[in-house]
Amino acid sequence: MSGTGGQAARAELSAIGQALAILGDRWVLLILQRAFLLRIRTFAGWRGSLGISESVLATRLKELVEHGIFELSAYRDGRTRYEYRLTERGLELWALLVAIHSWERDWADRGLSPLMHNLCGEDARPYLGCGTCREPMSARDTHTEQGPLATFSRIGPPRRHRRTVRPGVEPDLIDYCPASMEILGDRWSTTVLAAAFLGTRRFVDFQSSLGIAPSVLTDRLRRFVELDVFDARPDGSYRLTDRGLAFFEVFAFLVDWAQRELPAPEGSALAITHKPCGAALDPVLLCTACAQPLRRREVHFVLDRQGTQ
Ligand SMILES: [Zn+2]
Ligand SMILES: [Zn+2]
């Protein structure tokens, strides 16, 4: 793999392939999470909140602006300063981030902050639903058809900083758990998981459909087994565990966002349908308490849990 080609190569990618290339990075996820949760908008804000190096932060913010997720906005504070505002496209990632939080709360066994639903006043405990029939939706009751050109391969070489843990920094209440970071914070991992949702089971099939180096694939499969996302079967196949299958909630929003927001060649899309009602994928987060769809402006996280105990 040459690692060159940049824009030209990217234009050939399916929308999902592009989304994985943009979002499959732990720093990007943390930058976005802080933007939504803590309303951080400035370079200094992220640097202080994340303990991230200035060069890495500058690169990630530049890329997020190029991909139309943030826009630079000037304001006066004695002199002209700039802040990064989420665009409409960026704001649309809200549901994806809530889905990650929801999966972690259900499966990572951590005391995460509740997400309060303003409409009913209850802890929403969101679950994935179908926007058409409003019934729950899982990986098992969806059907996926790949377009003739649908491919996740050629997503470009992974970033070199993958899977580094900040030494000496304790995870705080809003940090992602290691499992989500390993699944989503690395583009090859996310790609392997996406292929599993599409029914890929065997090493050779992952390898041929993704064009992934055997050593990289071996490493990701081993980690997914350790993380209880995949189950290694005696026949050599890898099956999603219940924990892995539940990650479909996150995957559904990734696919939905990618295919709505990112231009891609014709024939490269995935057509996912909700089998019980036959409607095309239209994921929504539903409130466990009142069963209504959650909207961005109608929920809030309770972040002061530690302070109130
Ligand atoms: Zn439905
Ligand atoms: Zn509610």
Side-chain angles (χ1 to χ4, degrees):
M1 191 172 305
S2 72
T4 57
Q7 292 299 323
R10 186 153 283 175
E12 294 167 18
L13 280 178
S14 69
I16 300 166
Q18 295 175 59
L20 294 174
I22 298 168
L23 299 170
D25 174 77
R26 66 184 309 274
W27 288 123
V28 165
L29 292 172
L30 288 166
I31 288 166
L32 287 169
Q33 186 209 39
R34 258 68 174 175
F36 278 101
L37 229 55
L38 305 179
R39 299 184 195 286
I40 289 179
R41 302 208 196 295
T42 61
F43 190 91
W46 279 296
R47 191 184 48 200
S49 175
L50 294 172
I52 181 175
S53 86
E54 295 201 349
S55 64
V56 172
L57 178 58
T59 309
R60 295 300 181 280
L61 288 172
K62 183 165 169 282
E63 289 173 1
L64 288 167
V65 169
E66 283 169 6
H67 294 305
I69 290 171
F70 283 120
E71 60 192 358
L72 268 175
S73 162
Y75 68 102
R76 295 287 301 174
D77 176 22
R79 60 196 175 90
T80 301
R81 294 176 185 276
Y82 291 92
E83 60 178 20
Y84 295 82
R85 290 183 170 271
L86 285 161
T87 60
E88 281 301 314
R89 172 183 285 181
L91 288 169
E92 291 289 321
L93 285 166
W94 168 83
L96 174 70
L97 293 171
V98 171
I100 298 172
H101 178 271
S102 169
W103 180 84
E104 291 197 346
R105 207 171 160 198
D106 291 343
W107 295 92
D109 197 23
R110 305 169 65 216
L112 283 176
S113 45
L115 179 71
M116 304 305 291
H117 190 203
N118 303 352
L119 287 191
C120 69
E122 301 286 333
D123 180 0
R125 299 221 67 121
Y127 61 94
L128 178 65
C130 166
T132 302
C133 69
R134 298 281 173 90
E135 293 294 322
M137 182 163 65
S138 72
R140 287 198 173 95
D141 55 31
T142 56
H143 172 76
T144 302
E145 291 211 11
Q146 291 183 253
L149 298 176
T151 177
F152 302 124
S153 59
R154 297 176 289 114
I155 61 170
R159 297 181 194 273
R160 262 168 286 144
H161 63 89
R162 68 191 165 83
R163 291 221 265 123
T164 47
V165 176
R166 281 170 291 161
V169 178
E170 281 295 308
D172 62 30
L173 198 60
I174 61 170
D175 258 344
Y176 290 118
C177 72
S180 334
M181 276 322 221
E182 292 224 22
I183 296 170
L184 272 176
D186 170 274
R187 61 181 66 168
W188 276 127
S189 299
T190 330
T191 308
V192 168
L193 190 67
F197 281 127
L198 299 179
T200 309
R201 304 264 181 269
R202 298 184 315 144
F203 190 96
V204 288
D205 297 332
F206 281 111
Q207 206 190 341
S208 63
S209 69
L210 303 178
I212 182 172
S215 60
V216 177
L217 179 58
T218 302
D219 175 69
R220 297 307 189 278
L221 291 171
R222 183 178 52 76
R223 284 300 294 148
F224 276 176
V225 170
E226 284 169 12
L227 292 167
D228 189 27
V229 168
F230 282 171
D231 184 22
R233 297 290 172 86
D235 66 0
S237 68
Y238 292 86
R239 300 293 175 115
L240 287 157
T241 61
D242 287 345
R243 193 175 193 231
L245 276 170
F247 209 78
F248 180 76
E249 155 175 44
V250 176
F251 183 65
F253 285 105
L254 181 84
V255 171
D256 182 53
W257 179 82
Q259 297 195 155
R260 270 187 299 116
E261 296 290 336
L262 306 175
E266 210 166 311
S268 69
L270 288 186
I272 301 180
T273 47
H274 188 217
K275 283 193 283 190
C277 74
L281 179 76
D282 176 19
V284 288
L285 290 166
L286 299 171
C287 172
T288 294
C290 70
Q292 293 300 307
L294 301 175
R295 299 182 211 288
R296 183 168 54 85
R297 290 204 168 80
E298 295 169 356
V299 292
H300 66 277
F301 282 99
V302 181
L303 288 178
D304 63 349
R305 207 170 53 93
Q306 284 169 324
T308 58
Q309 279 174 348

